[in-house]
Amino acid sequence: MLEDDFSSLVRDTDPIRSLPSGETLFSMGDFGTSLYVIKSGEARIHIGDIVFESVGPGGVVGEMAMLDSDVHVRSATVIAAAPTEVVEVERPRLLESLQIDPDVLMRLCQVTIRRLRATTFLTYHDPVTLLPNRYRFQEICRTALLRAARRGTSVGLMFVGVDDIKTVNASLGYAAADELLRAVGKRLSETLHEIDTIARLGATDFAVLLEDLGSSSQAVSDAQALLDAMLRPFEIGGQSLYLSASV
């Protein structure tokens, strides 16, 4: 049986709830003591504006609120991505099923742990580029400063502002702009040394941490290398896009 297939929790006599595409099953912060098995269609787990995971037939949503014996609050929003049928499984029913088939508990734990790990990653990384976000970058900088003090070396910090992203967003749409941002992050990362770090701080703002910096002239050279890299066109959606940047 597949890890994410919980169809065995569904009984023939269970009532089925039908959701049209776009309808919300539950929202973050709602009270809940049950989970839902997707019988058909597709549901998407949203955390803020991020589509955290898509769940198909046999998958479950809402397990975290049900497993939390104290709070019972939904930690995400679930929206039908297509016409979807779900079956609600209350806590007593689930406990009964776990006694009959303990393997279900193991697989449910695996799904929960996987989702918790992914949530932790998103806490410290930008969801579009997957680069460290502002909070993670601050931690990396603190560690780098301690390491530099211990080694007697220097670090450098640069801020890179990328222009024209908003124009792409307006003309080609969000998907193209996100693809462009990922390409920018990838190119900046490839231009840096392996020990250096790049993070996305804002919509069009990136930060660069240079470690084991030999001199200020090296920082100037690295800055110029980043600017030169940004002069090359980005191939997005069959189009060559040119951007400008400042350091």
Side-chain angles (χ1 to χ4, degrees), residues 105-123:
L105 174 61
M106 181 62 69
R107 291 187 291 109
L108 187 60
C109 287
Q110 290 171 345
V111 170
T112 303
I113 290 171
R114 186 192 72 218
R115 289 174 176 172
L116 285 172
R117 285 175 175 168
T119 303
T120 301
F121 179 85
L122 290 175
T123 301

Side-chain angles (χ1 to χ4, degrees), residues 187-210:
R187 184 173 296 180
L188 293 177
S189 297
E190 291 173 346
T191 306
L192 298 172
H193 305 290
E194 288 186 359
I195 61 172
D196 299 331
T197 302
I198 180 166
R200 185 183 178 205
L201 302 187
T204 60
D205 298 322
F206 295 81
V208 176
L209 174 68
L210 305 174

Side-chain angles (χ1 to χ4, degrees), residues 138-161:
Q138 289 173 342
E139 292 181 349
I140 293 172
C141 287
R142 282 193 288 266
T143 302
L145 288 171
L146 292 173
R147 187 162 48 240
R150 186 169 60 250
R151 294 176 178 175
T153 57
S154 300
V155 300
L157 182 63
M158 295 189 294
F159 295 96
V160 181

Side-chain angles (χ1 to χ4, degrees), residues 50-236:
I50 304 167
V51 177
F52 177 71
E53 184 179 326
S54 294
V55 185
V60 294
V61 294
E63 75 287 346
M64 292 190 188
M66 188 208 61
L67 293 173
D68 189 338
S69 60
D70 295 323
V71 182
H72 298 307
V73 172
R74 303 293 186 189
S75 57
T77 298
V78 173
I79 301 173
T84 301
E85 295 180 326
V86 300
V87 174
E88 185 175 11
V89 179
E90 295 283 355
R91 186 184 180 91
R93 253 279 302 283
L94 178 65
L95 294 175
E96 179 184 333
S97 298
L98 295 180
Q99 290 177 346
I100 298 172
D101 185 5
D103 180 62
V104 173
L105 174 61
M106 181 62 69
R107 291 187 291 109
L108 187 60
C109 287
Q110 290 171 345
V111 170
T112 303
I113 290 171
R114 186 192 72 218
R115 289 174 176 172
L116 285 172
R117 285 175 175 168
T119 303
T120 301
F121 179 85
L122 290 175
T123 301
Y124 294 101
H125 292 80
D126 171 56
V128 175
T129 63
L130 302 184
L131 294 171
N133 60 17
R134 181 183 299 272
Y135 306 107
R136 177 61 179 148
F137 188 65
Q138 289 173 342
E139 292 181 349
I140 293 172
C141 287
R142 282 193 288 266
T143 302
L145 288 171
L146 292 173
R147 187 162 48 240
R150 186 169 60 250
R151 294 176 178 175
T153 57
S154 300
V155 300
L157 182 63
M158 295 189 294
F159 295 96
V160 181
V162 181
D163 302 322
D164 305 316
I165 296 287
K166 292 181 179 179
T167 302
V168 173
N169 193 8
S171 59
L172 300 180
Y174 289 107
D178 286 350
E179 185 180 352
L180 181 57
L181 283 168
R182 285 189 288 270
V184 168
K186 184 174 185 292
R187 184 173 296 180
L188 293 177
S189 297
E190 291 173 346
T191 306
L192 298 172
H193 305 290
E194 288 186 359
I195 61 172
D196 299 331
T197 302
I198 180 166
R200 185 183 178 205
L201 302 187
T204 60
D205 298 322
F206 295 81
V208 176
L209 174 68
L210 305 174
E211 294 202 54
D212 289 340
L213 196 61
S215 63
S216 58
S217 60
Q218 181 185 334
V220 172
S221 176
D222 288 341
Q224 188 60 54
L226 292 174
L227 291 174
D228 291 343
M230 292 298 295
L231 292 176
R232 302 198 308 271
F234 293 88
E235 301 299 326
I236 304 295

